């Protein structure tokens, strides 16, 4: 009599999935590169919300965010084997999200040139309990961001909306730290100047002495210029 091999125990599969989920970023990146069971879900669980938030805040209202999140992770799982430093899983993934966002912004600008949708108007109606002043401020902020080039917009959102560290912002943007600091100082000053001219947005801007990191970026820029 020939006996069939027993199917893998569901409990064992669950244990393996939990073990993968408990890995640090370096281990998780290796597991994803090797196609280990549970690795894809673990990466999604760990960073899916952040990728979604980044794309939503970069692209603004509408923008087919869900589709772009899916696109980001598809690219990630195709490219993760190229990751040289497994510990850099997070900036590597965010860098892919930045590329996807940049492509989406280019397509949006193209459609606008031909007057095809993407007007930038908030599509949703007023919701109960929503601060309409804040809602209008968000709409005006994205109208302001639409005046920036794609690189400046992405840098501003990564640093000042997502709150990434300077080094993470530079890595996700594919820039050197010095280059990212220089461009960030310029775009931060530009956005602040434009926002201060809008009475509604001006109310949401923190005084310079409360911001902290803007001074840090300007200081680094001065140091860089003095080094030649």
């Amino acid at each position: 009599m020939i006996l069939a091999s027993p199917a893998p125990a569901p409990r064992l599969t669950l244990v393996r999935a939990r073990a993968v989920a408990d890995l640090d970023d370096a281990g998780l990146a290796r597991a994803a590169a090797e196609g280990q069971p549970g690795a894809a879900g673990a990466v999604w669980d760990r960073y899916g919300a952040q990728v979604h938030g980044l794309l939503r805040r970069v692209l603004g209202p509408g923008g087919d965010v869900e589709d772009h999140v899916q696109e980001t992770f598809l690219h990630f799982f195709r490219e993760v084997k190229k990751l040289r430093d497994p510990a850099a899983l997070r900036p590597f993934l965010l860098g892919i999200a930045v590329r996807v966002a940049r492509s989406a912004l280019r397509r949006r600008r193209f459609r606008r040139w031909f007057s095809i949708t993407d007007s930038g108007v908030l599509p949703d109606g007023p919701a109960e309990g929503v601060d309409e002043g804040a809602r209008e401020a968000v709409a005006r902020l994205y109208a302001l961001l639409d005046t920036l080039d794609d690189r400046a917009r992405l840098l501003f959102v990564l640093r000042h909306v997502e709150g990434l560290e300077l080094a993470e912002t530079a890595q996700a943007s594919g820039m050197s730290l010095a280059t990212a600091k220089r461009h960030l100082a310029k775009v931060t000053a530009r956005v602040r100047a434009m926002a201060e001219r809008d009475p509604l947005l001006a109310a949401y801007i923190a005084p310079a002495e409360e911001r902290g990191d803007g001074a840090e970026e300007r200081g680094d820029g001065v140091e860089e210029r003095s080094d030649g």
Side-chain angles (χ1 to χ4, degrees):
M1 172 183 274
I2 300 177
L3 298 176
S5 299
R11 180 176 178 80
L12 179 58
T13 302
L14 180 61
V15 169
R16 287 176 177 171
R18 287 177 177 172
V20 170
D22 290 338
L23 293 171
D24 60 13
D25 274 8
L28 185 54
R30 295 188 188 98
E34 296 168 1
Q36 292 185 21
V43 175
W44 177 273
D45 290 343
R46 188 171 299 181
Y47 291 118
Q50 184 169 11
V51 169
H52 185 282
L54 168 61
L55 290 169
R56 178 171 55 82
R57 284 183 277 273
V58 168
L59 299 175
D64 298 324
V65 171
E66 298 295 341
D67 291 342
H68 297 314
V69 172
Q70 296 287 343
E71 182 182 355
T72 296
F73 278 92
L74 286 174
H75 282 299
F76 170 78
F77 290 114
R78 283 200 296 263
E79 300 176 20
V80 65
K81 292 182 180 179
K82 303 176 185 178
L83 180 57
R84 295 181 179 180
D85 178 10
L89 184 153
R90 178 172 178 262
F92 180 76
L93 176 58
L94 294 181
I96 294 173
V98 165
R99 294 205 319 261
V100 169
R102 185 174 292 161
S103 296
L105 289 171
R106 282 198 297 266
R107 291 194 296 270
R108 179 183 297 179
R109 292 182 192 278
F110 180 82
R111 288 195 296 268
R112 283 180 178 173
W113 289 337
F114 289 91
S115 301
I116 304 174
T117 68
D118 284 326
S119 64
V121 178
L122 285 171
D124 301 324
E128 184 177 354
V130 172
D131 182 340
E132 289 303 319
R135 180 184 177 84
E136 177 62 22
V138 170
R140 293 190 190 186
L141 174 62
Y142 277 105
L144 186 156
L145 293 180
D146 281 343
T147 68
L148 305 176
D149 62 76
D150 295 346
R151 179 180 62 183
R153 177 176 180 145
L154 288 163
L155 279 171
F156 183 85
V157 172
L158 287 171
R159 178 65 172 140
H160 296 296
V161 180
E162 287 299 300
L164 268 62
E165 297 294 332
L166 282 168
E168 292 179 313
T169 300
Q171 186 170 1
S173 303
M175 301 180 185
S176 70
L177 183 58
T179 300
K181 287 178 179 178
R182 184 170 65 250
H183 288 295
L184 265 170
K186 292 179 180 178
V187 69
T188 301
R190 181 181 174 187
V191 170
R192 182 175 178 82
M194 289 190 290
E196 286 176 339
R197 292 195 291 268
D198 185 310
L200 181 58
L201 286 178
Y204 289 87
I205 299 175
E209 61 272 15
E210 294 180 8
R211 297 199 320 272
D213 60 355
E216 172 195 342
E217 289 162 10
R218 289 195 301 274
D220 288 332
V222 172
E223 181 179 348
E224 180 186 347
R225 288 195 295 273
S226 67
D227 290 339

